[in-house]
């Protein structure tokens, strides 16, 4: 094993920098990080990530839902649409009440591939936040753009 590692290191030092290519799974060379967050206090769908431009897709890699309210809710992640129509539901996530902290960070492998040049909306459908729910749900989304 040590010999194999030594051979790889020698080859890496001999190759010109232009010949080396770092490859990340599911990411194209022109990928740009995308982050979004939103606070949901009602059943109105909200935009968490804006459209990224002509022929550019957003790939969602992680979502976290912090729910300090007394109700467990289902979070809908929409591909496109607006505050009224919401768009096409790409996935649904359970947001349990957080006892002393946030819900787990959900990682998508492979990432959720959204339509090109569309917004990403989130909403809680018909479930209402309990009266006096404080700050409501806090949603954080991570991903990247690509073609």
């Amino acid at each position: 094993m040590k010999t194999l590692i030594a051979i790889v290191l020698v080859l890496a030092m001999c190759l010109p920098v232009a010949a080396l290519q770092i490859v990340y799974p599911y990411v194209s060379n022109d990928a740009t990080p995308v982050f979004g967050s939103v606070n949901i206090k009602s059943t109105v769908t909200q935009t968490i990530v804006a459209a990224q431009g002509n022929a550019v897709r957003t790939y969602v890699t992680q979502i976290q839902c912090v729910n300090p309210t007394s109700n467990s809710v289902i979070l809908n992640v929409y591909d496109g649409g607006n505050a009224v129509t919401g768009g096409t539901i790409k996935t649904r996530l359970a947001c349990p009440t957080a006892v002393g902290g946030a819900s787990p960070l959900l990682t998508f492998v492979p990432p959720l591939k959204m339509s090109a040049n569309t917004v990403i909306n989130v909403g809680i459908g018909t479930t209402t936040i309990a009266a006096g729910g404080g700050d409501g749900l806090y949603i954080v989304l991570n991903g990247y753009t690509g073609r």
Side-chain angles (χ1 to χ4, degrees):
M1 186 64 157
K2 290 180 183 178
T3 305
L4 178 62
I5 292 171
I7 291 171
V8 170
L9 290 175
V10 168
L11 287 174
M13 290 186 314
C14 294
L15 291 174
V17 175
L20 298 177
Q21 181 178 8
I22 299 172
V23 178
Y24 297 102
Y26 312 113
V27 178
S28 63
N29 291 337
D30 61 345
T32 303
V34 172
F35 309 98
S37 63
V38 70
N39 191 323
I40 298 177
K41 295 183 181 181
S42 70
T43 57
V44 175
T45 302
Q46 297 184 31
T47 299
I48 192 166
V49 174
Q52 299 298 307
N54 191 25
V56 178
R57 294 180 182 271
T58 302
Y59 296 83
V60 178
T61 56
Q62 297 176 323
I63 295 178
Q64 186 170 26
C65 177
V66 179
N67 183 3
T69 70
S70 58
N71 294 348
S72 292
V73 298
I74 301 297
L75 176 72
N76 298 321
V77 179
Y78 297 96
D79 186 7
N82 56 44
V84 177
T85 64
T88 304
I89 294 178
K90 199 67 169 181
T91 189
R92 290 186 168 149
L93 309 167
C95 292
T97 58
V99 179
S103 63
L105 182 65
L106 302 171
T107 302
F108 300 100
V109 178
L112 294 177
K113 182 179 179 181
M114 306 308 236
S115 299
N117 198 24
T118 59
V119 299
I120 299 175
N121 292 322
V122 291
I124 55 172
T126 58
T127 305
T128 57
I129 303 290
D135 293 332
L137 301 178
Y138 187 69
I139 313 300
V140 179
L141 180 142
N142 297 316
Y144 61 90
T145 63
R147 297 191 186 268

